[in-house]
């Protein structure tokens, strides 16, 4: 019984440690073939990173593309001009899914909105570091992190897009 009571405490502790922790270097490539490493060293602004490493999570990550782009990049919204943020969506190809990397990248190049393409980073990075550091245990859920200019996590959320989650991210960006 005692061990069952410890599970929520351990999960809470892991999430608290993830808040304020340094985000590990994550490399990938854009649909244009540019190599990018996040977080960027010497960043002058905040960074929003959305990561999915499972097929179900990928569909949920895609549900964020348009609303996050409109709010944070195209600057549509009441407070959109009051902050500066770099936005990246990262489909992370792991294990057997690595074989789908090239076909997925080619398909994305042909089908995605040119505006969104510049904010998607395809990666084969090791997910274990992220899972261990940030409690990203559920491969069916996308995870979102707001990083400060030093690459520290100042906010995190997860799951399918909702306006409440988008608004919560915007509040962090305005602080």
């Amino acid at each position: 019984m005692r061990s069952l009571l410890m599970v929520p405490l351990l999960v809470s502790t892991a999430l608290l440690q993830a808040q304020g922790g340094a985000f590990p270097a994550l490399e990938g490539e854009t649909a244009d073939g540019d190599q990018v490493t996040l977080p960027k060293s010497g960043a002058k602004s905040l960074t929003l990173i959305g990561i999915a490493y499972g097929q179900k999570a990928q569909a949920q990550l895609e549900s964020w593309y348009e609303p996050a782009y409109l709010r944070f990049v195209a600057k549509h919204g009441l407070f959109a001009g009051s902050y500066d943020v770099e936005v990246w969506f990262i489909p992370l190809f792991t294990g057997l899914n690595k074989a789908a990397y090239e076909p997925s990248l080619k398909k994305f190049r042909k089908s995605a909105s040119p505006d969104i393409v510049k904010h998607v980073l395809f990666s084969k990075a090791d997910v274990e570091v992220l899972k261990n550091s940030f409690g990203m245990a559920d491969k069916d859920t996308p995870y979102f992190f707001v990083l400060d200019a030093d690459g520290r996590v100042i906010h995190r959320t997860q799951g399918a897009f909702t306006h409440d989650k988008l608004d919560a991210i915007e509040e962090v960006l305005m602080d």
Side-chain angles (χ1 to χ4, degrees):
M1 181 70 162
R2 176 179 272 171
S3 62
L4 288 176
L5 294 173
M6 293 298 290
V7 171
L9 179 62
L10 293 173
V11 171
S12 299
T13 303
L15 292 176
L16 286 173
Q17 288 173 341
Q19 195 91 346
F23 196 83
L26 187 66
E27 295 179 356
E29 78 176 294
T30 65
D32 296 333
D34 296 330
Q35 298 297 314
V36 175
T37 300
L38 297 175
K40 291 184 175 177
S41 61
K44 294 183 175 112
S45 64
L46 300 172
T47 304
L48 170 62
I49 297 176
I51 300 175
Y53 67 95
Q55 287 184 348
K56 290 180 183 177
Q58 176 63 30
Q60 290 182 37
L61 180 68
E62 290 172 7
S63 74
W64 282 81
Y65 286 3
E66 186 176 346
Y69 174 83
L70 289 174
R71 177 88 56 99
F72 303 132
V73 180
K75 306 277 187 186
H76 292 185
L78 185 59
F79 301 106
S82 62
Y83 50 79
D84 188 22
V85 63
E86 196 168 322
V87 178
W88 292 97
F89 301 103
I90 305 172
L92 191 58
F93 293 81
T94 63
L96 296 175
N97 288 339
K98 285 184 180 182
Y101 181 90
E102 287 297 327
S104 296
L105 183 57
K106 287 178 184 176
K107 181 180 176 185
F108 181 77
R109 284 179 179 142
K110 292 178 184 176
S111 64
S113 162
D115 294 328
I116 303 291
V117 164
K118 298 174 187 170
H119 299 276
V120 177
L121 187 66
F122 285 75
S123 179
K124 295 181 195 177
D126 183 10
V127 73
E128 293 305 315
V129 172
L130 293 166
K131 286 169 68 173
N132 294 334
S133 298
F134 297 103
M136 294 174 47
D138 186 359
K139 70 176 184 157
D140 294 335
T141 300
Y143 297 87
F144 298 86
F145 302 91
V146 177
L147 311 180
D148 67 11
D150 295 321
R152 288 187 308 266
V153 177
I154 58 172
H155 179 78
R156 68 171 282 158
T157 191
Q158 64 190 60
F161 171 80
T162 67
H163 287 285
D164 288 342
K165 290 175 187 174
L166 190 69
D167 292 344
I169 290 170
E170 185 173 49
E171 283 182 36
V172 171
L173 299 176
M174 293 185 336
D175 283 345

